[in-house]
Amino acid sequence: MNLLELLGYFNYWVFAIILTVGLYTVIAKVNLVKKLIGLSIFQSAVFLMYITMDKVEGGTAPIIQKGMEDQVFSNPLPQVLILTAIVVGVSTLALGLAIVVRIKERYGTIEEDEILDAD
Amino acid sequence: MDITPHLPALQVVVPLLAAPLVLLLRPRGLAWAGATSVAVLSFCIALSMAVDVAQGAHFRYAMGGWEAPYGIELSIGAFSALVLLIVSGAAAFSLLAARHSVDRQIEDERQPLFYAAWLLALAGLAGIAVSADAFNIFVFMEISSLASYVLIAGGPDRRALPSVFKYLIMGTIGATFYLIGIGLVYMMTGTLNLADMEARIGDVTDVKPIMVAAGFITIGLALKAAVFPLHVWLPNAYTHAPHMITVFLAACATKVAIYVLIRFDFFVFQANLPGHHLQFSFFLLPLALLGILVASAVAMFEGNLKRLLATSSVAQIGYIILGASFLTEAGLTASAVHLFNHALAKGGLFLAVACLACHYRDLRLDQLAGAARNMPLTAAAMVVSGFSLIGIPGTAGFISKWLLISAALDEGPYAWVLVAIILASSLMALVYIWRILETLYFRPAMTAPEQPGEAPLPLLGVTLIVALANIGFGLFPQFPLSLSSAAAELLLRHTL
């Protein structure tokens, strides 16, 4: 694989890197909020993957207008899917943070090791 | 008007729409009554579809009138009908029994919210079973997961919070892996409809992304299904959840993830990827065997009653995956029947635990000594459901163990190893169930119960009904068996 081919997959490389960074943060950090930040980064990587695969070079929004029937359109379906996935991601993050708030109320800490020691 | 063709949509729509309405029912008894009647209604819908499907019908429903593959299709064959029956049955029976236990564990003003989340979990789990669209399954999976995080964290036990946080992290990673997988498949095939995907994957020339997708989807769903060694979220989450939520989730939540896993691997990948079926069993068979042995061994030494039963669930999931990884009709039939029978046995056991919890605050085994003298009927239900979990003849668990062993015997020269492992783990199940029964029946009472006598009648009644169902389906297993063998036939239609 030569350099140009590597660069051609630029977005997918970024996807893989962000995905790994996010997963590493989830596993390595003991602070629960940092874990959730990692989870968010992890999910954002997938959004990037979906958006990348629907892009058609020179493509526009898929709206049919008079005189523009021959336009090249980007695929709208992955964008719709990822909009849904973003909503799911936001609700997961919100619920996760709500749980962290409750943990802070009941345990007085949000460090995982201190919580384990408390029980 | 004939509503039969609309039943697949109603199965999801009814609990989904009822959830916000339950929020408005202010006196808490009313919220319980509303949620329970909706769950019973959705059990009736599932039952009527299952009866039709057992006679050979196959429900297909185009949402909004848009035909597949352009629109979202709901499709109910034998396998989905069986899973729907488990999910809605678990919801209906646990809600019927729930009132007293929930009154004790959830504050009055939060109860409508709690029941609304319960209905959302039911809608999500039922949605996974009816949907024939890969992305739709993801959305329903997240609806059910988010609702179950809320349910588990809703109880008075503060240890539920860190457990549910762990469950949230692992569950989200699993769901995101699944999302990556279907993204890769969509990239190569341009479709999200499972049947259409199955037809188009064969035309893909470069199968590498599909192989990667198969890996992501299998691991993501195995995380959700708590397949050993990805099960670490399960014991704590089930131990610290409110008692009735443990009944509901232990009976159906992981089984739905197993359903998607089996369905995806058999329908979409195995027919089209050369050698995929061998990879599937090469990867999952050792995990299933390890899960069966390790989890059963851990359960033998566990001191907390709820955690003991939750750990044994991991072993039971191992049996289900083991049957599927034989890749034979007998193995898949055993797997599908065990989905149903394990829901009965574990549901019955956790219901009995909820009965005990009415009068014993501490559920460690040594604190429960002599409880059978105080609650003889609860203890009897525990005996029956426990025997079903071990697989004693005459109970439902025997049917699935028998089928699993006969399927294992066809597995060539190493069949005796498989049979030995299944028998060894059944012996270990005998040990840990016996430990519970010995404590309940033969130890002198250590602590006095808060109140003498049995649990309130609705809870006790449902517990006894489920215990009797364990015997009933052990003596007359035709109905789940016919659905399961139809499901196995459907899953293997390419290779047969």
Side-chain angles (χ1 to χ4, degrees):
Chain A
M1 197 182 275
N2 61 34
L3 186 67
L4 269 179
E5 264 182 68
L6 276 180
L7 285 177
Y9 289 113
F10 180 73
N11 278 19
Y12 293 104
W13 286 111
V14 176
F15 153 71
I17 292 167
I18 300 180
L19 193 77
T20 334
V21 167
L23 198 56
Y24 173 79
T25 316
V26 173
I27 296 167
K29 295 292 168 188
V30 279
N31 185 303
L32 298 186
V33 174
K34 287 184 185 166
K35 268 184 189 290
L36 282 178
I37 294 173
L39 198 67
S40 246
I41 296 172
F42 177 70
Q43 289 180 309
S44 313
V46 185
F47 307 159
L48 181 66
M49 184 190 92
Y50 271 75
I51 295 300
T52 304
M53 74 184 177
D54 76 7
K55 179 65 186 162
V56 178
E57 216 156 291
T60 63
I63 304 165
I64 296 177
Q65 288 170 302
K66 254 197 185 129
M68 311 245 312
E69 280 88 0
D70 299 335
Q71 278 286 332
V72 178
F73 299 129
S74 284
N75 184 353
L77 189 68
Q79 301 188 6
V80 176
L81 298 182
I82 218 55
L83 200 57
T84 316
I86 289 172
V87 173
V88 170
V90 169
S91 357
T92 311
L93 185 64
L95 183 60
L97 287 172
I99 292 171
V100 174
V101 171
R102 292 284 301 276
I103 290 178
K104 172 78 179 163
E105 283 170 9
R106 304 289 287 273
Y107 284 85
T109 175
I110 54 167
E111 303 291 327
E112 201 177 29
D113 42 353
E114 289 171 23
I115 294 168
L116 287 175
D117 291 342
D119 279 326
Chain B
M1 194 180 99
D2 184 22
I3 58 160
T4 315
H6 297 287
L7 287 181
L10 287 176
Q11 181 81 66
V12 184
V13 170
V14 169
L16 199 61
L17 286 184
L21 295 180
V22 164
L23 269 186
L24 302 175
L25 296 175
R26 265 310 144 179
R28 63 196 156 82
L30 216 55
W32 169 78
T36 308
S37 41
V38 169
V40 170
L41 178 64
S42 87
F43 180 57
C44 295
I45 294 175
L47 196 62
S48 79
M49 283 198 295
V51 169
D52 281 359
V53 168
Q55 287 160 354
H58 191 118
F59 286 89
R60 286 181 194 287
Y61 189 83
M63 280 311 267
W66 295 90
E67 289 300 325
Y70 306 106
I72 287 167
E73 188 191 18
L74 307 183
S75 151
I76 295 171
F79 202 13
S80 344
L82 184 75
V83 172
L84 275 179
L85 208 57
I86 297 171
V87 168
S88 57
F93 283 103
S94 54
L95 270 165
L96 272 174
R99 172 126 194 236
H100 179 80
S101 183
V102 170
D103 276 352
R104 284 168 61 99
Q105 291 199 297
I106 314 288
E107 299 94 326
D108 287 0
E109 69 275 11
R110 283 220 195 114
Q111 282 194 17
L113 290 163
F114 188 76
Y115 287 120
W118 201 326
L119 286 183
L120 283 177
L122 167 63
L125 292 169
I128 298 173
V130 298
S131 182
D133 179 281
F135 193 80
N136 217 4
I137 290 177
F138 165 75
V139 175
F140 278 127
M141 199 150 62
E142 283 312 87
I143 291 177
S144 67
S145 299
L146 287 172
S148 33
Y149 305 148
V150 173
L151 290 172
I152 293 173
D157 189 345
R158 76 168 184 173
R159 285 167 299 175
L161 293 166
S163 340
V164 92
F165 189 83
K166 193 185 223 170
Y167 183 15
L168 182 137
I169 296 278
M170 296 191 72
T172 308
I173 291 176
T176 310
F177 270 29
Y178 174 75
L179 188 62
I180 296 172
I182 57 175
L184 290 169
V185 174
Y186 178 78
M187 207 191 279
M188 302 313 287
T189 60
T191 182
L192 289 167
N193 183 291
L194 290 183
D196 200 31
M197 217 180 246
E198 185 186 337
R200 289 206 208 173
I201 281 188
D203 303 335
V204 175
T205 45
D206 181 7
V207 292
K208 257 187 207 152
I210 306 278
M211 303 281 252
V212 176
F216 269 117
I217 289 175
T218 309
I219 293 179
L221 291 172
L223 247 173
K224 284 263 179 197
V227 175
F228 183 87
L230 305 170
H231 68 282
V232 287
W233 56 267
L234 186 142
N236 270 337
Y238 284 9
T239 307
H240 303 305
H243 303 305
M244 295 318 293
I245 292 305
T246 313
V247 175
F248 173 56
L249 293 180
C252 64
T254 52
K255 306 202 170 51
V256 175
I258 296 178
Y259 156 82
V260 184
L261 176 69
I262 292 179
R263 190 169 161 176
F264 234 102
D265 271 302
F266 279 84
F267 276 170
V268 179
F269 294 135
Q270 288 196 357
N272 299 302
L273 292 182
H276 178 78
H277 57 288
L278 292 177
Q279 287 176 9
F280 179 81
S281 42
F282 186 74
F283 178 64
L284 284 177
L285 187 80
L287 291 187
L289 292 176
L290 274 176
I292 292 172
L293 288 174
V294 174
S296 302
V298 171
M300 282 198 300
F301 299 102
E302 188 51 62
N304 180 310
L305 180 55
K306 271 178 100 179
R307 191 192 297 270
L308 188 158
L309 294 175
T311 314
S312 118
S313 280
V314 178
Q316 304 293 322
I317 290 161
Y319 288 130
I320 298 168
I321 298 288
L322 181 68
S325 58
F326 290 160
L327 305 167
T328 57
E329 194 169 342
L332 280 165
T333 310
S335 247
V337 168
H338 200 53
L339 282 177
F340 184 81
N341 290 343
H342 175 244
L344 275 181
K346 204 41 79 58
L349 282 167
F350 273 122
L351 275 166
V353 171
C355 288
L356 286 174
C358 287
H359 296 332
Y360 293 86
R361 196 160 286 275
D362 195 339
L363 287 174
R364 276 175 303 180
L365 275 180
D366 45 5
Q367 301 293 314
L368 291 170
R373 278 184 286 281
N374 187 35
M375 307 171 92
L377 289 173
T378 306
M382 189 82 105
V383 171
V384 173
S385 306
F387 280 3
S388 178
L389 191 73
I390 302 166
I392 305 270
T395 57
F398 173 68
I399 307 290
S400 37
K401 283 268 168 69
W402 177 258
L403 285 172
L404 193 64
I405 290 179
S406 24
L409 283 173
D410 297 336
E411 285 302 299
Y414 294 103
W416 61 273
V417 180
L418 298 172
V419 174
I421 288 177
I422 297 171
L423 289 178
S425 117
S426 297
L427 281 178
M428 288 194 261
L430 184 64
V431 171
Y432 59 71
I433 294 295
W434 176 251
R435 272 185 67 213
I436 302 175
L437 300 183
E438 191 211 355
T439 317
L440 292 183
Y441 278 97
F442 304 121
R443 293 259 183 88
M446 297 274 289
T447 42
E450 290 169 18
Q451 273 172 291
E454 290 282 355
L457 192 62
L459 182 53
L460 183 67
V462 173
T463 311
L464 291 175
I465 289 171
V466 175
L468 287 179
N470 271 303
I471 297 180
F473 283 108
L475 298 177
F476 307 101
Q478 286 85 356
F479 183 59
L481 212 53
S482 67
L483 274 179
S484 305
S485 53
E489 216 171 284
L490 206 63
L491 286 167
L492 287 171
R493 67 192 155 168
H494 294 292
T495 42
L496 283 176

